[in-house]
Amino acid sequence: MATTVSDAAPAAARDRTRQALLTRLMVRDLTRLQRLIVPSRLEESLALWRAAVAALIDRYGAASATLAADSYERQRLSADTPGSFDARPAADAPEEQVEESLRWATADLWPTEEEQAPFEVRLAAAQARAEGVAQKLVADRARATMRESADRDRGAVAYARAAALGACSFCKLMASRGAVYKDVARAGRDADERFSGDDSVVKFHDNCHCMIIPVFRGQRFQLSSHAAEWDRLYQEYAAGHPGDQLRRFRRALAEHDSNPLPGSNQ
């Protein structure tokens, strides 16, 4: 008899709690590194800061990936999936990606004709962007570990996206798709014909707390009540409007969803 798993499974909540704790610890350490940035030696000190932050991201990313590998194996065991499987932590992000992301976060530290705010104001804004960048890079290691494990594991048939209740409209839309990822044939192409491709499940933004939920043989995926409501809103207000679905879905969420959209992502 098939067992049921959903995006509201205890494992998703546990993973999100663990990742949130890692994020808090990382932000604490990242804040301490801000003293490395010296206005009188901005270019030189920023290079030192980027190297230190990159090392920080790598350290916390490794912890994030290890936690995810452990979670994957625990969920596989709970599903009574036959055979053994060794979940491997995902590799760290390419150095170029980390470097480019941190340069973007600090690009506005130099004053321009349009931006003449005090250095402290620009530094605070750069710190906030750096925190978002670092959070994504660290959380991506966990999500990649789950996704890559499901891709390699013959005992896994699909995976879904679990979005937080206060997630942005894009994340809620992706979560409402259900377990259509990995192999569309096994996951059920006909179950969700209005969507095509699987790229969207691996797209995440800064400060995104979405989790990946593996689905194993013998399990049946069922949307949580809140994700089912998101799907209903999409079907009623957005599905029949090609090219304008996300805007209409965002409006429907703002007007009818009991969980408010984050102001920064509306």
Side-chain angles (χ1 to χ4, degrees):
M1 181 176 179
T3 59
T4 300
V5 63
S6 84
D7 51 298
R14 183 179 63 246
D15 288 352
R16 185 173 288 112
T17 298
R18 289 178 172 180
Q19 294 298 327
L21 175 58
L22 278 182
T23 295
R24 288 196 297 270
L25 294 174
M26 181 193 62
V27 169
R28 176 203 64 188
D29 293 346
L30 181 58
T31 300
R32 292 172 178 171
L33 291 178
Q34 192 180 103
R35 67 180 186 275
L36 296 175
I37 301 177
V38 181
S40 61
R41 296 185 292 107
L42 195 53
E43 186 66 46
E44 177 185 353
S45 63
L46 270 179
L48 179 61
W49 175 86
R50 286 194 300 269
V53 174
L56 187 72
I57 291 171
D58 183 57
R59 183 164 74 251
Y60 278 100
S64 174
T66 299
L67 286 174
D70 174 71
S71 177
Y72 185 91
E73 292 180 354
R74 286 175 180 270
Q75 292 180 62
R76 193 181 195 278
L77 185 62
S78 296
D80 292 325
T81 306
S84 60
F85 181 79
D86 181 23
R88 297 193 295 263
D92 55 349
E95 292 182 9
E96 298 79 8
Q97 179 185 355
V98 177
E99 175 78 10
E100 181 179 348
S101 297
L102 294 178
R103 285 186 179 276
W104 169 83
T106 55
D108 293 337
L109 280 178
W110 283 267
T112 65
E113 292 183 2
E114 295 78 18
E115 179 57 76
Q116 294 291 333
F119 182 79
E120 293 74 14
V121 174
R122 286 180 275 127
L123 182 59
Q127 175 71 18
R129 288 192 294 269
E131 289 175 4
V133 162
Q135 181 276 333
K136 179 182 183 300
L137 290 169
V138 168
D140 277 352
R141 293 277 295 274
R143 293 182 285 238
T145 297
M146 285 289 189
R147 191 177 68 252
E148 291 170 7
S149 295
D151 287 342
R152 293 191 299 109
D153 186 5
R154 293 185 177 182
V157 296
Y159 51 89
R161 180 173 183 145
L165 292 177
C168 72
S169 55
F170 174 81
C171 291
K172 287 180 177 180
L173 179 58
M174 295 303 101
S176 74
R177 293 186 177 189
V180 299
Y181 304 106
K182 182 184 179 181
D183 185 314
V184 291
R186 280 181 288 177
R189 182 189 297 273
D190 295 336
D192 211 343
E193 291 181 341
R194 67 187 181 281
F195 297 107
S196 61
D198 60 0
D199 289 343
S200 56
V201 77
V202 295
K203 293 179 181 177
F204 304 96
H205 54 80
D206 294 354
N207 298 311
C208 175
H209 300 284
C210 287
M211 296 286 106
I212 297 295
I213 304 297
V215 182
F216 300 98
R217 294 189 185 280
Q219 288 186 321
R220 179 176 62 89
F221 184 83
Q222 180 176 330
L223 286 176
S224 62
S225 58
H226 54 266
E229 176 65 6
W230 299 336
D231 183 56
R232 185 192 70 79
L233 291 174
Y234 177 85
Q235 289 291 331
E236 182 174 349
Y237 294 99
H241 303 274
D244 197 29
Q245 293 101 323
L246 187 57
R247 186 187 67 83
R248 287 177 172 271
F249 181 61
R250 186 185 298 115
R251 176 185 294 177
L253 289 173
E255 295 177 355
H256 304 288
D257 189 19
S258 59
N259 302 287
L261 290 169
S264 60
N265 294 311
Q266 289 190 36

